[in-house]
Amino acid sequence: MATIELVQVEKLFGEMHAVKPMDLTIHDGEFVVLLGPSGCGKTTTLRMISGLEAVTRGRILLNGRDVTWERPSERDIAFVFQFFALYSHMSARQNIAFPLQAQGEAKAVITQRVADVARLLRIEHLLDVRPGALSGGDQQRVALARALVRRPAAFLMDEPLGALDAEFRETMRAEIKRLHIDQHATTVYVTHDQIEAMAMGDRIVVMSAAEVQQVGTPAEVYHNPSSLFVARFIGSPGMNLIQGHYVNGVLHLPPSNRYTVPARWVPAIQQVVGGEGDVILGFRPEAAAVVSDGPLAAEVYAADLHGSYTMLHLSLGPDEIVHSRARRETHYPIGTPVRFDLNPEMVRFFDPQTERAIVREGVPA
Amino acid sequence: MFGLDIPLPEFWIAYFFVFWVLVGASTTPIIFRHRGQNPLLGALAGIVVGAIAGVIFLLLVVALEPVVDLLGQPMLGALISLIASAAITLALLGFARRFVPGAARDAAAGAAGGPRAPVTYSARVDKVDPNWQSMQSIRASVAVMLAALTLIPVIWMGMTAFKSYPDAVASPPKVAFDPTMEGIITLLTRRRQMTDAQKAEYEATEDLNWADKVMLKSGQAILGQSDYVKRLRNSLIIASTSTVLSVSLGLFSAYAFSRFPIPGKGDLLFFILSTRMLPPVVVTIPIFLMYRELGLYDTHIGLIALYTAFNLSFSVWLLKGFIDEIPKEYEEAALVDGYTRMQAFRRIVMPEAVTGIAATTVFCFIFAWNEYAFALMLTTDKARTAPPHIPSMIGTGLVEWAAIAAGSLFFLIPVVIVTFTLRKYLLRGVTFGAIRQG
C-alpha cells in the first residue's frame, strides 16, 4: 500500500487559484476525506494526485517516489468517478477486466481476479450485463470492482455516491467503509457531504476557497473547528455562533444576556483580545440545555421534532437564532420564554477579526 | 413519364388498389387479432376494403367527369377523387370497426382481472389498449405507403432499365411490359447499327453469344466494352478513399478540438466551418487552373484531395458534437487504469463514438459519390466518375432511356449498401450510456 505526500502543491487555472499551496500527508492505509463546498478545489486536488491534472507548482510523492510528472497510468492509482464512467459498449465483466488487460495479464489470471472481486462486491450475477441496464448502486459496485481488481497502491474516489439515490447512498457508504477496513487500502475520498465525511473518514481535510481550512479526525473537526467556516460547515445544523462583547471574564450577548466565560478560557481569550473586545461564542446544539435557572434568556422561535430529539430554535435577538437539542417529549409552544445553559466543556471561542478559533491548551477532542 | 391528365390511367387505378389493399391487409389483421378474431379474416376484410376503395375511386372519377370537362382541368378530377375516396374509405373503416365483435369481451376480461392471453408485447397499459394498437398499425401502414410513394421514381427507373426502347418511350407509360436486357447491354457495350444485308451475314456467324443475340433484335452488333464499368470503378475508388480520409482525419481533429485547450480554438473551428460558406462551384475555375498547373487534372488523387477537403469541415464539426457528448471521464478512467491516450482513444472513444462515425461516413460517402460539377470540370477520361458520365450517354439523336436507367440503377447500389450496412448506427439512442448526468 502507499503513503501519499503533497508538498506545497498548487494549481492555477489562468490567474485563478484552484488550489492554493497545500501540504498534506496521507498515511498508509488511511481513509482521508477531502470535504468542502463545490468549487473549493477538492476535486482538483484529487485529480492532481491521480495525474489527470498537472500541478502548477509543488511536488507529489507516492511512497517517497516523486510522481509529480508521471503519467496517470504510471502511478498505480485507481480512480472512481462520480458518474461511474463505465464503458457502455462493454459488459460489466469486460469493464472490470479492462485495467488488467492494460497490464497484459494472462487470460486465466484475469478471469480469476474478476471472479474474486465480483464475489467481494456481490455482483457475480451481473457480470454479463451492460452497464446501461444496471441500477445506480450496481453501476457503482462495478466501478468499485474495476478499481479494486488491479490492487492499486491507492484509491481515489470523487464523490462516488453523489449520483446515487438516498437509500443506495447509505448502503454503499457502509459497503465502501467495510471494503476499506477489509482491504486496508490508502483511500482519498472527495465529498461535499459532511455527514458522509464524518461517517467514513479516518481524517477529514476541510477545504474552502482553494485553501485547506483544517485537517483532523472527524471528532476534531466537529468539536474543535479551527475557523468559523469549519464551525458552520460541519454538523447539521452547524455550530451556533453568536457575536458578543468580552469584558473581564464576562461575555455580553444580545439582547442583554451575560455569559460568564469558563475560567480556563479567560487567559486564552485575553491573549487575543486583551481586557475588552469582540469575541464570537460557539457551541454545538447538544451543548445547550434548557434549564429553569440557566444564565441565558431566549424565546422559542420554532421547534422541530426530529424523531429521537426535538431541535429548538431559540431567538436571542432579532437576528440571533441558536439551535438546541432537547428531549423529544418536551413541548415548547412558539414564543415561550426559556432560559438555557451551556456545557462549559463544549463552548468554543472565535476571533471575529481573523475568523480563526481561539485556542487553549488541553481542549479535549 | 406519366401525368394525372391521362383519363383513368391504369397506373393510378393499379396504384390505388394496391395502396388500399396493402393498408387493409396490414391493418385489419392486427385489429382483428387484438379483438380476439381470426387475423386471416381480417386480411380478407382488408382486401375487400381495398377493393371498395378502388371502386369508389373509379365511380368518383366517372361521376366527376362532366364537372372536370366544364372546368377544363383534367387532373383536378383525379386529385379530388383520390382524396375523397381515401377519406370515404377511412371513414368506412372507422365505422366498420364498431361492428367487429370483441370490444365488449375485452371489457369483460378486464373486469374479470386481466387480459385473456399473456401480454408479451408491452407492459404499458396504454399500449395494451386495442385502440392504441390499431392506431399504431394504421400509422405504420400509412408510413409504409408513404415510403412506397417516394420509391415510385426509383421503382420506375428499375422498370425502365429492363424495357425495350419502344416500351420505354411509350405513352401512356407501360406498367406491364416484356423485360429485356437490352438496356443493360447497351450500357455496358459499344455497338454498331447494321444494314439488313450486314445483319443477315452477322446472323449466320456461329459464335454469337447471348448478349449478341439480344442486340441483334434491334439490328446492332456489339463491338466492345463501354466505359461505364471504368467510370463506376473510378467513382468507387475516389468516393471511398476520400470518405476514409475525411472521416479519419476529421475524427482525430474533432477529438483534439473536443479535449485539448488548443490556442485559438474558436477561430480555428470557425475557419474550418467557413470553408462551407462558399458554394463550391464558385471556385471551380481557380481550382481547374491550379490543378492543371499541378498536374492533378484528371487524376484520382486530385478528386480525392478535393472531396476530402470539402468533407473535412463537415466531418470535423459533426464528429466534434459526438465526441463532446462522450464524457471525458471515460478516457480518464482508462488513463488511470494504465492505458496511454492513444489506446484510450482506440478502445474507448472510438467504440463510444461509433454512431457519429457511421453517420459521418454515410454523409461523406454520399457527397463524394454524388458530386457532379467538379468531376465534370476536373476530369476527362482517366479519373472520370459516373455522375458526369451518365448524362453524357444522352448524346445526340436517339436517347437510350433504358441504358441511362440501368446506369443510374447500378450507380445507386453502392450508396444503398453503405447506408444499409451502417443503418443500425444511424439511429441515435441505440446504446444507452452508463453515465448519469445528475
Side-chain angles (χ1 to χ4, degrees):
Chain A
M1 287 297 144
T3 316
I4 302 167
E5 251 179 290
L6 275 63
V7 186
Q8 287 295 303
V9 166
E10 188 179 354
K11 178 73 190 181
L12 286 155
F13 285 126
E15 291 294 297
M16 197 196 69
H17 257 113
V19 177
K20 287 182 183 162
M22 72 181 281
D23 286 306
L24 180 67
T25 304
I26 297 154
H27 302 294
D28 187 17
E30 205 178 11
F31 196 112
V32 170
V33 178
L34 299 180
L35 174 68
S38 50
C40 73
K42 55 191 191 306
T43 299
T44 310
T45 309
L46 195 74
R47 289 170 61 85
M48 286 194 292
I49 298 174
S50 73
L52 291 172
E53 205 77 69
V55 299
T56 309
R57 270 187 283 279
R59 292 193 304 142
I60 295 170
L61 304 167
L62 193 69
N63 273 338
R65 179 167 63 102
D66 191 330
V67 296
T68 317
W69 297 107
E70 280 188 10
R71 273 198 252 148
S73 53
E74 296 163 340
R75 298 191 185 196
D76 194 21
I77 279 175
F79 204 107
V80 179
F81 293 87
Q82 179 175 12
F83 297 113
F84 322 139
L86 294 175
Y87 314 126
S88 58
H89 62 284
M90 298 183 189
S91 70
R93 187 194 304 279
Q94 289 167 323
N95 264 285
I96 298 170
F98 194 68
L100 292 178
Q101 286 163 1
Q103 297 178 333
E105 294 282 356
K107 268 232 171 71
V109 177
I110 293 177
T111 315
Q112 183 57 41
R113 283 180 47 188
V114 170
D116 287 347
V117 79
R119 194 173 328 116
L120 185 69
L121 287 158
R122 304 193 309 280
I123 48 169
E124 291 139 301
H125 58 295
L126 304 172
L127 281 179
D128 294 313
V129 181
R130 291 263 176 123
L134 293 174
S135 71
D138 285 335
Q139 286 191 20
Q140 193 54 280
R141 286 194 187 93
V142 174
L144 280 172
R146 189 174 67 186
L148 277 168
V149 74
R150 210 168 43 128
R151 299 176 193 153
F155 291 100
L156 308 179
M157 304 192 187
D158 185 8
E159 306 210 18
L161 308 183
L164 298 183
D165 303 332
E167 51 175 325
F168 271 132
R169 213 175 296 171
E170 299 262 322
T171 324
M172 287 305 294
R173 191 197 293 164
E175 268 183 44
I176 292 177
K177 185 72 190 168
R178 185 62 205 272
L179 216 56
H180 172 71
I181 290 166
D182 290 346
Q183 305 273 313
H184 208 67
T186 311
T187 306
V188 188
Y189 187 102
V190 161
T191 183
H192 64 263
D193 181 351
Q194 46 94 14
I195 297 173
E196 219 168 274
M198 298 286 285
M200 299 178 81
D202 292 330
R203 276 199 299 159
I204 297 176
V205 178
V206 186
M207 294 184 73
S208 154
E211 262 182 309
V212 174
Q213 296 285 325
Q214 189 174 3
V215 182
T217 63
E220 275 167 10
V221 294
Y222 185 77
H223 290 294
N224 295 320
S226 67
S227 66
L228 287 176
F229 173 81
V230 180
R232 286 196 200 101
F233 192 71
I234 306 277
S236 62
M239 195 177 247
N240 296 306
L241 298 163
I242 319 165
Q243 179 147 1
H245 193 69
Y246 174 84
V247 187
N248 286 331
V250 177
L251 196 56
H252 295 263
L253 299 169
S256 56
N257 278 307
R258 291 157 59 86
Y259 177 70
T260 311
V261 175
R264 65 194 102 151
W265 277 102
V266 173
I269 294 172
Q270 288 196 336
Q271 207 180 351
V272 176
V273 296
E276 190 183 339
D278 283 347
V279 166
I280 291 173
L281 168 70
F283 57 93
R284 293 281 172 194
E286 58 271 28
V290 174
V291 280
S292 53
D293 56 348
L296 299 168
E299 196 175 89
V300 174
Y301 179 78
D304 328 324
L305 178 62
H306 283 232
S308 57
Y309 61 90
T310 298
M311 185 64 76
L312 285 180
H313 302 244
L314 304 173
S315 127
L316 266 83
D319 292 321
E320 296 284 358
I321 305 267
V322 299
H323 302 96
S324 159
R325 249 184 205 223
R327 282 153 49 85
R328 73 184 158 86
E329 295 88 350
T330 45
H331 182 63
Y332 297 95
I334 289 166
T336 319
V338 290
R339 299 194 73 80
F340 67 100
D341 198 1
L342 303 177
N343 180 346
E345 293 295 326
M346 291 170 74
V347 291
R348 300 292 179 261
F349 297 94
F350 298 86
D351 180 350
Q353 247 79 53
T354 60
E355 302 210 334
R356 306 296 297 179
I358 296 172
V359 286
R360 169 179 85 81
E361 290 299 312
V363 177
Chain B
M1 281 188 245
F2 55 86
L4 281 165
D5 53 336
I6 300 153
L8 290 187
E10 295 137 43
F11 173 79
W12 279 108
I13 296 164
Y15 182 71
F16 207 76
F17 270 99
V18 169
F19 180 96
W20 279 106
V21 166
L22 268 178
V23 169
S26 60
T27 307
T28 43
I30 300 170
I31 297 173
F32 271 57
R33 190 168 66 80
H34 292 157
R35 289 173 178 259
Q37 300 289 322
N38 188 352
L40 285 175
L41 209 67
L44 194 71
I47 292 163
V48 171
V49 167
I52 293 172
V55 171
I56 295 173
F57 175 67
L58 277 175
L59 290 175
L60 275 172
V61 170
V62 173
L64 283 171
E65 213 162 1
V67 187
V68 168
D69 285 347
L70 205 71
L71 290 171
Q73 289 287 334
M75 63 179 287
L76 203 63
L79 255 182
I80 292 172
S81 311
L82 201 73
I83 295 163
S85 58
I88 292 170
T89 315
L90 268 180
L92 274 177
L93 261 180
F95 183 68
R97 212 159 59 88
R98 295 162 178 272
F99 300 102
V100 181
R105 215 163 52 170
D106 276 350
R116 293 175 305 277
V119 180
T120 50
Y121 23 94
S122 168
R124 261 175 62 185
V125 170
D126 60 338
K127 289 193 176 178
V128 181
D129 174 28
N131 285 332
W132 190 90
Q133 285 182 329
S134 31
M135 266 323 289
Q136 189 71 356
S137 55
I138 289 169
R139 247 178 283 164
S141 48
V142 168
V144 167
M145 291 321 292
L146 283 176
L149 197 66
T150 56
L151 278 175
I152 286 177
V154 180
I155 293 166
W156 197 260
M157 191 172 80
M159 281 158 67
T160 310
F162 294 98
K163 281 179 180 174
S164 59
Y165 182 76
D167 281 349
V169 295
S171 179
K174 281 196 169 179
V175 178
F177 59 94
D178 284 334
T180 156
M181 297 301 283
E182 242 180 67
I184 292 164
I185 295 167
T186 309
L187 174 73
L188 298 174
T189 57
R190 282 180 294 113
R191 299 152 317 279
R192 176 171 57 92
Q193 190 68 47
M194 293 178 291
T195 59
D196 285 346
Q198 284 170 323
K199 198 174 157 189
E201 186 189 330
Y202 184 67
E203 214 166 353
T205 48
E206 293 281 310
D207 57 341
L208 283 186
N209 63 19
W210 162 82
D212 291 330
K213 281 175 189 155
V214 172
M215 293 320 289
L216 189 62
K217 281 179 203 157
S218 52
Q220 292 180 349
I222 295 172
L223 299 176
Q225 243 183 26
S226 75
D227 287 336
Y228 182 75
V229 175
K230 217 171 93 188
R231 306 285 185 246
L232 206 61
R233 195 174 56 222
N234 282 343
S235 263
L236 266 178
I237 293 168
I238 289 164
S240 49
T241 315
S242 79
T243 303
V244 168
L245 277 178
S246 45
V247 173
S248 50
L249 291 175
L251 187 63
F252 282 115
S253 38
Y255 180 73
F257 276 122
S258 171
R259 290 297 194 257
F260 302 116
I262 297 165
K265 186 196 277 191
D267 295 335
L268 275 174
L269 278 170
F270 179 78
F271 169 71
I272 291 172
L273 185 68
S274 69
T275 61
R276 282 255 143 188
M277 292 176 184
L278 197 72
V281 186
V282 174
V283 291
T284 325
I285 303 298
I287 286 178
F288 172 77
L289 294 173
M290 270 156 59
Y291 267 43
R292 209 180 46 185
E293 288 303 310
L294 293 169
L296 289 170
Y297 180 78
D298 199 21
T299 59
H300 290 79
I301 292 172
L303 275 192
I304 289 169
L306 195 70
Y307 292 169
T308 306
F310 276 120
N311 274 334
L312 204 53
S313 59
F314 177 74
S315 96
V316 167
W317 273 83
L318 199 67
L319 284 167
K320 183 177 175 292
F322 280 98
I323 290 175
D324 282 345
E325 275 177 30
I326 304 171
K328 70 178 194 320
E329 282 89 353
Y330 271 32
E331 297 134 76
E332 289 181 342
L335 289 182
V336 287
D337 282 345
Y339 288 91
T340 63
R341 192 167 274 280
M342 195 62 204
Q343 284 172 325
F345 177 77
R346 200 177 58 78
R347 301 200 48 174
I348 303 302
V349 178
M350 280 185 37
E352 294 287 343
V354 70
T355 324
I357 295 172
T360 315
T361 307
V362 168
F363 282 121
C364 286
F365 186 78
I366 289 175
F367 170 83
W369 186 253
N370 285 350
E371 208 287 325
Y372 176 79
F374 283 105
L376 185 71
M377 287 294 292
L378 299 178
T379 61
T380 43
D381 176 54
K382 201 160 68 71
R384 173 145 287 198
T385 55
H389 177 71
I390 293 171
S392 76
M393 290 190 293
I394 292 177
T396 50
L398 181 125
V399 180
E400 291 283 2
W401 287 116
I404 291 169
S408 310
L409 199 64
F410 291 139
F411 183 68
L412 263 183
I413 292 168
V415 185
V416 172
I417 289 173
V418 168
T419 315
F420 264 72
T421 327
L422 299 177
R423 75 188 183 286
K424 78 167 177 178
Y425 301 111
L426 292 176
L427 296 166
R428 294 299 311 270
V430 177
T431 52
F432 299 97
I435 280 251
R436 275 183 50 179
Q437 304 292 357

